[in-house]
Amino acid sequence: MSREPLLEVTNLVKTFGGFRALDGVTFTLHKGEIMGLVGPNGSGKTTCINVISGLYKPDSGNLRFLGKTIAGQAPHKMARLGINRTFQVPKPFRELTVAENILVVHATNKHTEIGDPLEFVGLKNVAHRKAGSLTSGQQKLLDLARALASGPSLLLIDELAAGLSPSELDDVAEKLLTLATRGISLLVVEHLLGFVNQLTQRVIVMNAGKEIFEGDLASAAKDERVVEVYLGR
Ligand SMILES: Nc1ncnc2c1ncn2[C@@H]1O[C@H](COP(=O)(O)OP(=O)(O)OP(=O)(O)O)[C@@H](O)[C@H]1O
């Protein structure tokens, strides 16, 4: 893995009303790296992805991608730059087929380095089916394929594991590891720490909009502040 920075997040703040959902978040993600973003409910993980993907504009702070300032750009511009994301609850075009759901993205974006995204996620055999008829696990894979179809160099993954069976989980973990070996960096928001552990050792732990730990998972599990926010001790 190269240590070249891909995404530099500096002192990111996002408020809703007076509430600071992100309260000065700073971290760097390197090219080809998988980093976990973990923390209790409401700690700001999805908001972080929402700001990086352009869904929300930050109140302050900076986002640099490949050395260029990108904070505040719209999602389609972020996708064009090479940043795409999955959603906690995927919302495919239910009346379109699986293949059409991908074409919608391909029509507006560039080609992918990973080949056919449906093939990659294992949905080629249901390409002709309506997206609304897929299981929730398959819809998550379709969402991943949709994000991959834009040819991202940074993929923000929001709770992909929830609702997947243990064998689907292993399969997805393997696919995400493959993406990293092909140079796609991943920021993985996840509650399931076993899944994070399969992907990476490096995690950021958030609580109340702030990072409270950065390092490997084993050390996180022994960190006093981390233990306190997870177990309320
Ligand atoms: N659009 C919004 N409007 C108002 N408050 C919001 C909005 N989005 C997030 N929040 C608030 O910001 C805080 C952080 O939410 P966020 O979804 O980022 O947390 P999270 O760590 O992803 O939680 P979870 O693990 O439950 O998904 C929460 O208190 C949430 O209610």
Side-chain angles (χ1 to χ4, degrees):
M1 185 185 73
S2 118
R3 294 303 290 171
E4 221 178 309
L6 180 70
L7 176 75
E8 296 160 272
V9 176
T10 315
N11 226 351
L12 210 58
V13 173
K14 176 68 193 168
T15 58
F16 297 107
F19 176 72
R20 287 167 92 84
L22 294 182
D23 197 4
V25 174
T26 299
F27 64 84
T28 298
L29 185 70
H30 301 93
K31 284 188 185 170
E33 182 182 10
I34 302 180
M35 191 165 79
L37 188 56
V38 305
N41 289 327
S43 53
K45 307 180 297 292
T46 296
T47 303
C48 198
I49 284 191
N50 285 341
V51 171
I52 298 169
S53 65
L55 199 60
Y56 296 154
K57 280 191 182 4
D59 293 23
S60 60
N62 201 8
L63 280 180
R64 283 163 71 83
F65 185 67
L66 292 169
K68 291 203 178 105
T69 295
I70 56 159
Q73 300 210 36
H76 68 278
K77 292 213 172 127
M78 294 294 198
R80 226 175 276 151
L81 288 169
I83 302 175
N84 212 329
R85 52 93 53 89
T86 67
F87 290 87
Q88 218 166 323
V89 181
K91 293 194 175 63
F93 297 103
R94 297 179 64 85
E95 290 305 314
L96 297 185
T97 66
V98 168
E100 286 164 346
N101 266 272
I102 300 299
L103 280 175
V104 172
V105 184
H106 259 312
T108 52
N109 282 299
K110 61 191 174 194
H111 279 279
T112 164
E113 297 298 319
I114 56 125
D116 181 342
L118 283 182
E119 186 88 55
F120 182 80
V121 302
L123 289 181
K124 200 69 184 168
N125 58 337
V126 292
H128 60 285
R129 290 212 353 227
K130 285 205 171 155
S133 74
L134 300 182
T135 64
S136 62
Q138 287 173 321
Q139 290 197 12
K140 290 210 155 189
L141 292 173
L142 174 57
D143 196 37
L144 177 60
R146 176 200 53 76
L148 287 171
S150 66
S153 41
L154 170 60
L155 198 51
L156 311 165
I157 305 273
D158 198 359
E159 288 192 34
L160 192 58
L164 297 187
S165 70
S167 70
E168 284 173 326
L169 275 180
D170 283 346
D171 193 38
V172 166
E174 202 178 298
K175 289 189 165 82
L176 297 184
L177 286 165
T178 301
L179 291 178
T181 63
R182 300 205 191 158
I184 299 177
S185 307
L186 296 130
L187 182 63
V188 179
V189 166
E190 190 52 65
H191 278 285
L192 208 60
L193 297 184
F195 183 70
V196 175
N197 199 29
Q198 269 179 282
L199 298 173
T200 183
Q201 286 290 301
R202 195 158 102 87
V203 295
I204 284 177
V205 184
M206 288 185 65
N207 185 46
K210 289 186 195 298
E211 290 160 74
I212 57 164
F213 177 89
E214 182 174 336
D216 65 83
L217 254 182
S219 308
K222 292 185 210 132
D223 184 272
E224 228 172 73
R225 287 159 308 166
V226 174
V227 171
E228 191 180 318
V229 304
Y230 270 104
L231 301 177
R233 279 205 244 138

